[in-house]
Amino acid sequence: MEGSERDEDARVRLPQLRLDELLEELQSRIDAARGTRDRVHSLLEAVLSVGRELELEQVLHSIVEAAAAVVEAQYAALGVIGPDGKRLSAFHTVGVGEEEIARIGHYPEGHGILGELIRHPEPLRVAKLSDHPASYGFPPHHPPMNTFLGVPIRVRDQVFGNLYLTEKRGGAQFDEEDESVLSTLAVAAGVAIDNARLYEESRQRERWLRANAEITHALMSGSERGTALLLIAERAREITGASLAVVAVPMAGTDSLTVELAIGQDADSHRGLVVPVDGSLLGRAFTTGAPVTSPDIASDERVFPGPQRLGELGPAVAVPIGSGDSVRGIALLARSADRNPFADEEIEPLQGFAAQAAVAMELAERRQDAEQIAVLEDRDRIARDLHDLAIQRLFATGMTLQSAGRLIEHKEASERVLRAVDDLDETIKIIRSTIFGLRSRTATAGGAGGLRARVVRVVGEAAPLLGFPPSVRMEGLIDTEVPKETADHLVAVLSESLTNIARHARADRADVVLQTDGREVRLTVADNGVGIPSGGRRSGLRNMAERAEQLGGTFDVTGPAGGGTTLLWRVPVGER
């Protein structure tokens, strides 16, 4: 009896156990389904949050935040791959504070395990970072990290960058489901990045169109050439995010370009610089008629001669103003050292914008030519009227007085009439001289050989003797405000100064600065040589001083603390 009761109890407990197991399994499946539902819901929320933004920087930050949330990672980062396809050009992080970042130092560039994902753009899961062959540790002050999950982000079949996740919360490992969820988010991120890029491109096109309309309005309203060029440089600098904008134009009668306009960082030190066409960045863009880029203008020897002026600048592009054989100048734009290089999609609209500069210069020159022609025609008319009307009437009046003089019997009256006739003859001579002057100015208007070109020519001729090209900077209306006599003396002083440097200074750098403010002209010639020894010959310096004194000016020689010699020759050119 007891045995049968035990069997009966066992039969009762067995279904009960099976039911408990089934209930537990059902509960676990419900929990799993709920977890999957929650995770899918979180993924959908992450996709929506990523796709909600339009600004690229905001999109990238949203992607990192969403990635960290969806796989429950403590640290997350998005590395943007640079143009070379080998390094990271930007890095966006979540989980590391600004103070920690400052202590760690420079953002990673894509070495170690980060570079592994760049070289092989496939999902990568690592249980312990230090065990991976590509890992070689962290820099000082970097937080400890072990578990790792990385996936690439593709935009239109091109790898834009990578998502890096470390340290899953709760000390767990990243699993296949984490990898799948993150890969799904990466697809949505690629679409969001592409949309943000398209949005940015449309905004850029809109900016260029507005700027073009502004330039066209300025041209049609008759703005001066300098005003139009300044507007073009300002808008190009604003739209491209450049720190410095420079416009250089060719100098008549020379193989050099002169910086006519500069705005932005250290603009004052660039205005008036003379740059040789041969071997320079600007010269290459000028001769080829095509844009020329530089990844780091501060270390590019092709940019400007003389001392360093571009220490805090980096990527740059030189764009020709005009095309083919009608290149009228060069526009140079340079960004700060921490900015990205100029991409092709930026350079293309910039070329069209530079074409507007060519139109501005063309219209200004045609307007100037028309004004010059009007002036010359007016001079010719005045000369013709003086010759045909004034002289003939004066001549006729003189003949009449001369004839009447014979009929005057009073001696004093007759002498007065004859003196009047002589005065008329002298007046006719003065008018004829005036006519000749008007016509000779008409014939020689716009002639070449200004002081700017002469200075560049002298510097170019001295370069072989020196063994290096001196830097040249000119400021002010040099060709119009410096009289010919002063210009002749100045060129002689410059030639003598450069010859002395070549013979005695043993220098490897020379700087020539020519300035005028309408009241005086100042020529500064500096070198980094051995200086002027005491007791040395000073006949050349005495000649320079005498030339300055002859014109009412001064001449000074100084030896800067850093070595070398500085000559300052200054004379008045305006009213004294």
Side-chain angles (χ1 to χ4, degrees):
M1 231 9 230
E2 291 180 0
S4 61
E5 288 179 359
R6 283 197 298 269
D7 292 339
E8 185 66 25
D9 291 340
R11 283 195 298 269
V12 172
R13 284 197 299 272
L14 183 60
Q16 182 70 35
L17 290 173
R18 288 179 179 174
L19 180 60
D20 290 342
E21 290 175 359
L22 287 173
L23 288 173
E24 287 177 3
E25 183 178 353
L26 178 61
Q27 184 62 45
S28 65
R29 293 193 177 214
I30 291 173
D31 292 340
R34 185 180 292 113
T36 302
R37 183 200 64 188
D38 293 342
R39 194 147 205 190
V40 170
H41 183 69
S42 298
L43 179 61
L44 289 174
E45 283 186 348
V47 170
L48 289 174
S49 68
V50 166
R52 197 176 292 124
E53 303 291 346
L54 287 175
E55 297 286 348
L56 183 58
E57 291 298 313
Q58 294 177 355
V59 168
L60 298 179
H61 189 70
S62 296
I63 291 171
V64 179
E65 288 185 331
V70 80
V71 298
E72 299 179 346
Q74 184 176 352
Y75 303 107
L78 191 158
V80 180
I81 299 175
D84 60 0
K86 299 178 181 178
R87 295 185 179 185
L88 299 176
S89 62
F91 209 71
H92 302 264
T93 63
V94 166
V96 183
E98 294 184 2
E99 293 183 1
E100 287 182 284
I101 293 173
R103 286 197 300 270
I104 294 170
H106 195 277
Y107 278 119
E109 295 181 352
H111 304 295
I113 199 163
L114 302 187
E116 183 72 15
L117 206 58
I118 296 175
R119 292 186 293 273
H120 306 288
E122 298 293 337
L124 176 64
R125 269 188 298 131
V126 178
K128 191 172 184 180
L129 280 170
S130 58
D131 292 341
H132 195 278
S135 176
Y136 58 78
F138 297 104
H141 309 293
H142 196 286
M145 295 180 181
N146 292 299
T147 56
F148 175 85
L149 173 60
V151 296
I153 298 176
R154 287 181 169 83
V155 178
R156 298 189 180 186
D157 298 328
Q158 289 187 345
V159 178
F160 172 84
N162 297 306
L163 277 171
Y164 307 111
L165 287 302
T166 60
E167 296 300 288
K168 187 176 177 69
R169 296 186 185 278
Q173 294 286 333
F174 292 109
D175 55 22
E176 292 183 2
E177 188 175 344
D178 292 323
E179 182 180 318
S180 176
V181 168
L182 195 61
S183 297
T184 303
L185 179 63
V187 173
V191 175
I193 291 170
D194 192 30
N195 289 338
R197 279 178 163 180
L198 291 173
Y199 174 71
E200 181 61 28
E201 288 175 10
S202 67
R203 289 184 62 189
Q204 283 290 85
R205 282 195 296 270
E206 184 181 353
R207 292 191 192 104
W208 285 118
L209 288 172
R210 281 203 304 266
N212 280 329
E214 188 178 3
I215 299 300
T216 301
H217 175 74
L219 293 174
M220 297 304 292
S221 61
S223 294
E224 294 294 328
R225 174 177 176 272
T227 303
L229 285 180
L230 177 61
L231 188 58
I232 288 168
E234 286 178 342
R235 295 297 173 267
R237 186 171 73 95
E238 291 171 3
I239 295 174
T240 61
S243 298
L244 173 69
V246 164
V247 175
V249 296
M251 295 187 66
T254 70
D255 291 329
S256 301
L257 301 167
T258 180
V259 176
E260 180 174 322
L261 183 149
I263 58 173
Q265 181 175 319
D266 297 329
D268 292 340
S269 64
H270 293 88
R271 293 190 191 102
L273 276 175
V274 176
V275 183
V277 171
D278 187 24
S280 68
L281 183 77
L282 297 178
R284 184 178 176 187
F286 182 76
T287 53
T288 61
V292 179
T293 59
S294 174
D296 184 10
I297 196 173
S299 59
D300 198 326
E301 297 179 353
R302 303 171 299 167
V303 185
F304 297 122
Q308 180 59 261
R309 297 177 175 86
L310 303 162
E312 297 180 359
L313 296 176
V317 60
V319 180
I321 299 175
S323 59
D325 297 331
S326 60
V327 176
R328 296 177 171 272
I330 301 296
L332 174 73
L333 295 168
R335 286 173 172 160
S336 57
D338 59 345
R339 296 290 302 278
N340 292 330
F342 286 86
D344 292 340
E345 55 267 22
E346 293 180 287
I347 296 175
E348 184 178 351
L350 184 58
Q351 284 183 273
F353 201 62
Q356 287 277 11
V359 174
M361 298 172 79
E362 178 79 20
L363 288 177
E365 288 174 6
R366 292 294 174 266
R367 190 181 298 115
Q368 186 177 10
D369 289 344
E371 292 172 355
Q372 185 69 21
I373 289 172
V375 170
L376 298 181
E377 287 178 348
D378 199 40
R379 285 180 179 174
D380 194 54
R381 179 188 59 78
I382 293 170
R384 187 170 57 249
D385 289 347
L386 286 173
H387 182 273
D388 295 344
L389 300 176
I391 288 181
Q392 299 304 326
R393 296 187 69 172
L394 289 172
F395 185 75
T397 302
M399 292 291 291
T400 301
L401 289 173
Q402 195 172 23
S403 298
R406 299 190 188 98
L407 304 177
I408 299 174
E409 296 180 355
H410 195 282
K411 184 178 180 180
E412 290 184 3
S414 178
E415 289 177 353
R416 286 187 178 184
V417 170
L418 292 176
R419 282 200 301 272
V421 172
D422 292 339
D423 290 342
L424 287 173
D425 287 339
E426 189 63 30
T427 302
I428 290 172
K429 289 179 182 179
I430 293 172
I431 294 175
R432 287 186 185 278
S433 176
T434 302
I435 293 171
F436 177 78
L438 285 170
R439 286 179 173 168
S440 77
R441 281 197 294 273
T442 299
T444 60
L451 179 55
R452 280 179 178 269
R454 294 175 68 186
V455 168
V456 173
R457 196 176 300 118
V458 169
V459 172
E461 291 170 354
L465 298 175
L466 293 165
F468 58 88
S471 72
V472 184
R473 182 159 60 93
M474 291 184 267
E475 298 178 2
L477 302 175
I478 292 168
D479 285 337
T480 58
E481 291 183 339
V482 181
K484 184 179 183 305
E485 180 187 3
T486 303
D488 293 339
H489 283 287
L490 188 148
V491 170
V493 169
L494 174 61
S495 179
E496 179 73 16
S497 301
L498 295 175
T499 302
N500 287 342
I501 294 174
R503 288 178 178 173
H504 311 297
R506 298 201 296 274
D508 59 13
R509 194 189 81 219
D511 303 320
V512 176
V513 179
L514 179 59
Q515 301 165 300
T516 182
D517 56 5
R519 294 185 296 275
E520 68 173 8
V521 61
R522 297 177 298 280
L523 172 66
T524 306
V525 183
D527 66 76
N528 65 343
V530 297
I532 301 176
S534 59
R537 293 182 58 188
R538 295 177 176 264
S539 57
L541 299 178
R542 188 164 52 250
N543 291 337
M544 297 180 202
E546 289 175 355
R547 288 181 183 274
E549 291 171 3
Q550 183 179 340
L551 298 171
T554 60
F555 175 67
D556 298 305
V557 182
T558 58
T565 305
T566 299
L567 309 181
L568 175 58
W569 191 86
R570 53 197 298 174
V571 299
V573 295
E575 295 183 1
R576 298 182 215 168

